[in-house]
């Protein structure tokens, strides 16, 4: 029995990226692309001090509730994997709704990994709900963060 083959295979598995990280990056890339595809929202942010340069530099996105168009259903392996990862990470609720629904979203990267994110509702909620939603990846990032969108859009956040 050749144990070197098994050790090499095991080391490759350890070196491979975490599947949750892949789905997490896909999610925030979808949010970023949705914001770039929505000039009305970009203009609204620009009026409140968040320029296109800031949007690009900090990978800011918009959760416009269209994720289901971009992620296959749970009947497909990739869709089930993605939806399961987002649920495990606490980014979707039991009913499948995203926690950042209707929010401008800024992820916080540490190296290549997303460790936290902040979402601010674009429109003030009509029912009692938080206007600012912060998400921290459990067990990875535990200290509070002042996100750029909270500083740039101070007037935006306060209203």
């Amino acid at each position: 029995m050749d144990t070197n083959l098994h050790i090499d295979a095991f080391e490759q598995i350890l070196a491979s990226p975490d599947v949750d990280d892949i789905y997490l990056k896909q999610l925030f890339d979808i949010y970023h692309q949705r914001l770039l595809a929505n000039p009305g929202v970009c203009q609204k942010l620009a009026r409140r001090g968040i320029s296109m340069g800031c949007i690009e530099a900090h990978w800011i996105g918009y959760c416009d509730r269209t994720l289901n168009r971009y992620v296959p259903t749970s009947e497909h392996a990739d869709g089930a994997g993605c939806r399961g990862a987002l649920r495990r990470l606490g980014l979707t609720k039991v009913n499948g709704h995203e926690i950042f629904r209707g929010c401008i979203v800024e992820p916080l990267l540490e190296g290549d990994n997303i460790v936290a994110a902040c979402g601010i509702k674009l429109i003030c909620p009509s029912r009692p709900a938080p206007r600012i939603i912060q998400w921290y990846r459990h067990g990875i990032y535990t200290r509070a963060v002042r996100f750029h969108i909270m500083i740039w859009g101070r007037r935006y956040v306060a209203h």
Side-chain angles (χ1 to χ4, degrees):
M1 180 176 196
D2 184 7
T3 57
N4 288 336
L5 179 62
H6 298 293
I7 291 171
D8 290 343
F10 181 70
E11 287 177 349
Q12 285 179 349
I13 290 170
L14 290 178
S16 67
D18 183 1
V19 174
D20 286 355
D21 286 329
I22 294 168
Y23 290 127
L24 195 55
K25 287 177 185 171
Q26 287 177 351
L27 173 72
F28 284 96
D29 190 48
I30 290 169
Y31 289 165
H32 183 64
Q33 295 306 318
R34 295 309 308 146
L35 177 58
L36 296 178
N38 194 325
V41 173
C42 290
Q43 289 171 358
K44 190 172 191 175
L45 293 178
R47 287 192 302 268
R48 288 169 172 78
I50 301 174
S51 69
M52 281 302 289
C54 295
I55 289 169
E56 290 287 345
H58 296 281
W59 207 24
I60 294 173
Y62 178 45
C63 178
D64 63 356
R65 302 176 217 170
T66 61
L67 184 63
N68 284 333
R69 293 182 192 167
Y70 304 100
V71 177
T73 62
S74 295
E75 287 85 35
H76 296 89
D78 195 38
C82 181
R83 292 170 192 277
L86 298 179
R87 176 81 190 280
R88 272 191 311 281
L89 292 167
L91 289 163
T92 58
K93 299 177 183 178
V94 176
N95 60 9
H97 292 175
E98 301 152 89
I99 64 166
F100 292 122
R101 282 185 356 209
C103 290
I104 299 300
V105 182
E106 177 189 358
L108 175 67
L109 292 148
E110 193 168 276
D112 285 338
N113 297 321
I114 298 170
V115 294
C118 179
I120 299 176
K121 295 282 184 189
L122 188 59
I123 299 170
C124 191
S126 58
R127 60 181 180 183
R131 181 89 193 267
I132 300 172
I133 299 164
Q134 292 184 352
W135 169 82
Y136 295 90
R137 190 154 179 193
H138 180 69
I140 293 180
Y141 211 78
T142 55
R143 68 174 197 249
V145 175
R146 278 193 82 168
F147 291 90
H148 292 101
I149 57 174
M150 295 174 83
I151 297 165
W152 292 322
R154 185 174 318 186
R155 199 180 84 185
Y156 166 67
V157 173
H159 293 285

